[in-house]
């Protein structure tokens, strides 16, 4: 794969002069310690035309369907936007610096309950641009992951994913942990109506080492039955230092208990025609409200592929309008296991 044009300048604000209150700039980092069963999500969302920033930091150490059981949670959607997106300083104690974008970042976080995160994030690849046909075979044809845009209408939006290594330390509930793990970060921007965000999908990462890592965006029709519920819109495999886009050829089933993804079995095919079968079971995870209508369950899964064991985060997303349509009820309705 050629070196892409998704470079350092794309980690600065991308909003054009005509951008309105719907324009967002986001960056997301998952910090995982699989051997300690810990998963941390750091998310920044800025609406530059409004001058506001939304920060979220969550630390999960169990498999749960409630945020009440998180080890740490800090969120504020009404913070001042930073002057530069490459140097984010938040009043909640979070700082994210693009030390040498698009490859190197520094993340520091100190909360008032004693939680601390201090890591260097180094991408093992250049960002994978889902809108570049040199990267994703489905670029320009698959529906946009974030907004209700027509296929091919991607001039004002951007989304890049990159698998990277995080090294450093975390302090959780008075315990200090060494961080040395591989996960997938993303950077995105564009107009995004918060009431339309959260299309049903599985955003999947699976890591088996620096020589083998995957990332997949899989649109999901929750009203369809397996194996017809999923598609693959964009994704890649990082195989022995080279990155190959994934085609839309997908075999995938997923099981759920409520909102919790309890298992995945998927076979993907890259542009070389090479197939990989991946299977996952949940380890730790918890709900995440990524937008007012995005009902997400994030889980650090245990993965297997061709006899190798791995790990990776799965973001299983439902849209609130779809849930309301299917499950909204009056008191007199007798749907479900409990009737009142």
């Amino acid at each position: 794969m050629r070196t892409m044009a998704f470079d350092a300048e794309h980690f600065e604000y991308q909003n054009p002069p005509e951008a309105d209150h719907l324009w967002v700039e986001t960056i997301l980092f998952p910090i995982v310690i699989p051997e300690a069963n810990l998963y941390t999500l750091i998310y920044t969302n800025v609406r530059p035309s409004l001058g506001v920033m939304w920060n979220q930091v969550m630390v999960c150490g169990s498999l749960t369907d409630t945020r009440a059981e998180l080890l740490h949670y800090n969120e504020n959607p009404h913070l001042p936007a930073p002057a530069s997106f490459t140097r984010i300083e938040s009043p909640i104690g979070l700082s994210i610096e693009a030390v040498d974008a698009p490859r190197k970042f520094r993340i520091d976080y100190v909360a008032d309950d004693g939680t601390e995160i201090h890591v260097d994030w180094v991408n093992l690849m250049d960002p994978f641009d889902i809108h570049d046909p040199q990267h994703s075979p489905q670029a320009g044809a698959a529906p946009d992951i974030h907004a209700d845009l027509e296929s091919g209408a991607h001039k004002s939006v951007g989304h890049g994913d990159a698998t990277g290594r995080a090294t450093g330390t975390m302090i959780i509930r008075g315990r200090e942990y060494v961080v040395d793990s591989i996960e997938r970060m993303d950077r995105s921007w564009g107009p995004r109506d918060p009431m339309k965000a959260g299309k049903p999908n599985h955003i999947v990462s699976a890591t088996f080492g620096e020589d083998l890592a995957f990332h997949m965006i899989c649109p999901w029709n929750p009203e369809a039955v397996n194996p017809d519920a999923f598609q693959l819109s964009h994704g890649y495999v990082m195989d022995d230092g080279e990155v190959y886009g994934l085609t839309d050829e997908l075999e995938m089933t997923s099981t759920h208990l409520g909102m919790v993804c309890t298992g995945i079995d998927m076979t993907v095919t890259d542009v070389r025609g090479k197939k990989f079968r991946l299977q996952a079971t949940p380890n730790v995870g918890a709900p995440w409200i990524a937008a007012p209508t995005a009902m997400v369950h994030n889980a650090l899964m245990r993965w297997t592929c061709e006899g190798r064991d791995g790990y990776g985060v799965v973001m299983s997303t439902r849209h609130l309008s779809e849930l309301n349509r299917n499950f909204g009820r009056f008191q007199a309705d007798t749907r479900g296991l409990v009737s009142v």
Side-chain angles (χ1 to χ4, degrees), residues 128-318:
F128 180 90
D129 186 348
I130 68 171
H131 297 132
D132 185 341
Q134 295 292 324
H135 290 231
S136 175
Q138 289 74 253
D144 188 83
I145 181 178
H146 295 296
D148 290 331
L149 301 174
E150 295 179 1
S151 295
H154 301 301
K155 292 182 179 179
S156 62
V157 303
H159 181 103
D161 298 283
T163 297
R165 181 181 288 278
T167 56
T169 60
M170 286 204 303
I171 299 175
I172 309 295
R173 300 284 178 98
R175 305 176 189 178
E176 184 167 343
Y177 299 90
V178 173
V179 178
D180 187 358
S181 58
I182 298 170
E183 246 299 334
R184 182 269 335 179
M185 59 86 68
D186 76 51
R187 165 78 173 106
S188 70
W189 63 85
R192 204 172 304 169
D193 187 335
M195 293 307 293
K196 295 179 181 178
K199 291 182 178 180
N201 61 58
H202 280 17
I203 298 178
V204 178
S205 292
T207 296
F208 300 91
E210 288 196 6
D211 64 321
L212 186 62
F214 298 83
H215 174 62
M216 288 78 80
I217 299 173
C218 300
W220 176 27
N221 179 2
E223 298 180 29
V225 297
N226 286 320
D228 300 320
F230 293 95
Q231 299 175 306
L232 196 153
S233 59
H234 306 286
Y236 61 81
V237 55
M238 186 175 67
D239 187 7
D240 280 333
E242 297 294 328
V243 179
Y244 304 95
L246 298 178
T247 71
D248 61 0
E249 186 177 343
L250 174 70
E251 298 174 23
M252 179 173 176
T253 60
S254 177
T255 55
H256 291 78
L257 180 60
M259 296 290 291
V260 181
C261 178
T262 56
I264 294 175
D265 189 329
M266 64 193 305
T267 299
V268 298
T269 303
D270 69 21
V271 292
R272 300 170 296 176
K274 188 173 182 179
K275 294 182 180 293
F276 300 87
R277 185 181 181 188
L278 302 100
Q279 296 173 295
T281 55
N283 187 14
V284 299
W288 175 43
I289 309 301
T293 54
M295 311 301 291
V296 188
H297 191 276
N298 288 353
L300 176 61
M301 311 285 273
R302 295 186 178 98
W303 286 92
T304 59
C305 178
E306 301 174 350
R308 296 180 64 173
D309 294 329
Y311 58 84
V313 171
V314 173
M315 299 179 173
S316 176
T317 303
R318 301 285 291 267

Side-chain angles (χ1 to χ4, degrees), residues 9 25 37 60 75 109 117 128 137 164 167 187 207-208 215 262 324 339:
E9 68 180 41
E25 308 264 350
N37 303 314
C60 179
E75 175 179 7
Y109 175 65
I117 302 168
F128 180 90
T167 56
R187 165 78 173 106
T207 296
F208 300 91
H215 174 62
T262 56
N324 292 158
S339 60

